[in-house]
Amino acid sequence: MLTYQIDAKDHGRRMDSFMRNLLPTAQFSYLKKLLSSGHVKVNGSPVEPAQLLKFADQVTLKESSKTAAFLARITPDLDILFEDSWIISLNKAPGLSVHRTEDPDEVNLVDLAETLLQKRDGVGRLRPVNRLDKGTSGAIILAKNAVAAGMFGKMIQEEGLGKLYLALVEGKLQKQGVIDAPLDGKESQTSYLRLFHGGGVSLLAVYPITGRMHQIRQHFRMIGHPILGDKRYGGRALTGFTGHALHSYKTTLVHPATGEEVNIPAPLPEQLMRLLSRYGAVSEKTLLDTLDQLPASGPLPA
C-alpha cells in the first residue's frame, strides 16, 4: 500500500487532480478505474473524483506493478487541476506567460501544455478559454480542440465563469466592500472580503463581478491599496517573488458538454504562502481553515 500525507501545497485540491499528478502518464480509463474500484482511499474511506483534499489527510493507493510504472519520479512540470476529453485546467505559475510573446525564447504555458499532451497522448493543440495576466497565478482553462473552444467560449460569453481570487494588498481595508469604478468607459465592479490583516498588508478574497482587462489590479490601485509586487499598478517590489500577489484560487463553471457544475480549485503557490508568513498576516493552518469556508463565486452579500 502506498501512503501519502496531504500538505499545504495540495490542500483544497480535487482528488482526480492529485491522482493525475501522482500518475502523470496513466490513461484516463486507468485513473477512473482506480478511483471507482476502491483502490484509492482518503482516511480509510472511498473517494469521489471531485472530493477536495484537506491538510493532513492520508491518501492510500493499492500498490501494483502497473501503478508503480506510472508513478512520477519527479514533480511534473505542470500542475493539472482538472482534465477531461474537452479541456485541461492548469495551475499557472506566476511570471509565466499564457501565450507566445515577442521573445521567441520565452517559455509559455500553451507550449508547455502542448508538449505534455504530445508526449502522453500523441496529440496536443490547445486554445486558452480564459485569461490570466503573466504575473497572476492560478487556474487557467485550455480547450483541446476547436469544437471545445467554441463551446466554452460561448458559455463564458453567455454565463461567465465563477471566480474567486486571493490578493495581498497594501494597508488595511474595511471588512468587506464593492469597488464600483468604470474602466475604459465600461461598468466595472469588484467585490472583496478582508480575511486577515498584519504587517501593513491585507489578504483579501476577491470576486470580480465584471470581467474587464486588469480589473482587479486597477481597482485596488484606484482605492489606494495596490497588490504587492504589481509595479505596473503601484504595488511595491517584492524581493525573491515572481509576478504579483494575486492568485486565481477557485473557478466554477457549468460544463457545456455535460451540464455538470465543475469546481476547479487551485492550491496556493509556495511562494505566496511564504510571503504571507513573512508579513505575519496569518498562520498556515488558520489560512487553510479560512479558505475552506469561502464561497467559490458570486458577489458578497451587502
Side-chain angles (χ1 to χ4, degrees):
M1 190 71 71
L2 301 171
T3 303
Y4 303 90
Q5 185 101 351
I6 298 302
D7 57 17
K9 71 178 176 59
D10 287 316
H11 178 89
R13 183 183 297 280
R14 289 172 60 108
M15 188 65 228
D16 51 5
S17 168
F18 182 82
M19 291 299 296
R20 168 49 72 195
N21 290 312
L22 185 66
L23 308 171
T25 60
Q27 298 86 359
F28 274 117
S29 57
Y30 185 65
L31 293 178
K32 185 176 180 180
K33 180 180 177 182
L34 287 176
L35 289 167
S36 63
S37 64
H39 289 180
V40 183
K41 294 183 179 180
V42 175
N43 303 326
S45 300
V47 294
E48 295 293 330
Q51 180 173 326
L52 302 184
L53 295 168
K54 297 184 181 298
F55 185 83
D57 276 350
Q58 188 176 79
V59 177
T60 54
L61 170 61
K62 186 176 180 180
E63 193 169 5
S64 70
S65 57
K66 188 172 184 179
T67 298
F70 289 132
L71 281 173
R73 306 302 177 213
I74 58 174
T75 302
D77 291 334
L78 293 174
D79 181 358
I80 299 175
L81 301 173
F82 175 82
E83 186 177 3
D84 62 11
S85 59
W86 299 92
I87 59 171
I88 181 169
S89 178
L90 301 164
N91 197 358
K92 187 183 86 66
L96 178 65
S97 294
V98 174
H99 301 278
R100 297 181 182 90
T101 66
E102 294 179 356
D103 181 357
D105 297 323
E106 184 177 355
V107 177
N108 66 86
L109 184 71
V110 170
D111 281 353
L112 290 174
E114 288 182 348
T115 299
L116 180 151
L117 293 187
Q118 284 283 359
K119 289 181 178 178
R120 195 189 72 193
D121 304 330
V123 295
R125 173 74 171 89
L126 297 170
R127 301 158 179 83
V129 169
N130 63 327
R131 64 174 185 262
L132 285 181
D133 300 332
K134 180 177 179 179
T136 304
S137 57
I140 190 158
I141 300 170
L142 306 174
K144 289 185 172 182
N145 53 60
V147 173
M151 290 172 57
F152 279 84
K154 182 179 180 182
M155 178 270 297
I156 289 177
Q157 186 177 30
E158 294 180 351
E159 303 175 30
L161 295 172
K163 294 181 181 179
L164 162 59
Y165 287 79
L166 298 176
L168 193 62
V169 304
E170 300 275 6
K172 184 178 182 180
L173 292 80
Q174 61 188 29
K175 182 61 179 174
Q176 68 181 66
V178 176
I179 305 169
D180 189 348
L183 295 172
D184 298 323
K186 298 178 180 178
E187 179 185 7
S188 305
Q189 293 180 312
T190 302
S191 178
Y192 71 86
L193 172 68
R194 192 188 79 234
L195 304 180
F196 302 102
H197 168 70
V201 301
S202 295
L203 178 65
L204 310 176
V206 181
Y207 300 87
I209 300 170
T210 53
R212 311 304 178 202
M213 182 74 75
H214 299 175
Q215 176 177 309
I216 294 173
R217 299 165 63 191
Q218 293 197 68
H219 269 173
F220 284 104
R221 178 195 61 174
M222 286 178 174
I223 65 170
H225 297 280
I227 295 169
L228 270 66
D230 189 3
K231 293 180 285 185
R232 176 171 180 175
Y233 292 109
R236 76 174 86 162
L238 295 172
T239 303
F241 190 93
T242 304
H244 42 252
L246 179 64
H247 179 70
S248 178
Y249 181 58
K250 284 188 178 180
T251 301
T252 55
L253 58 98
V254 176
H255 200 300
T258 66
E260 296 178 1
E261 182 175 291
V262 178
N263 178 27
I264 305 176
L268 274 64
E270 186 177 340
Q271 67 170 5
L272 182 55
M273 295 289 290
R274 290 199 304 266
L275 187 65
L276 290 169
S277 222
R278 183 200 308 175
Y279 282 98
V282 59
S283 71
E284 183 177 273
K285 184 181 185 307
T286 302
L287 171 63
L288 298 180
D289 288 345
T290 300
L291 295 182
D292 286 342
Q293 307 305 314
L294 292 174
S297 62
L300 297 163

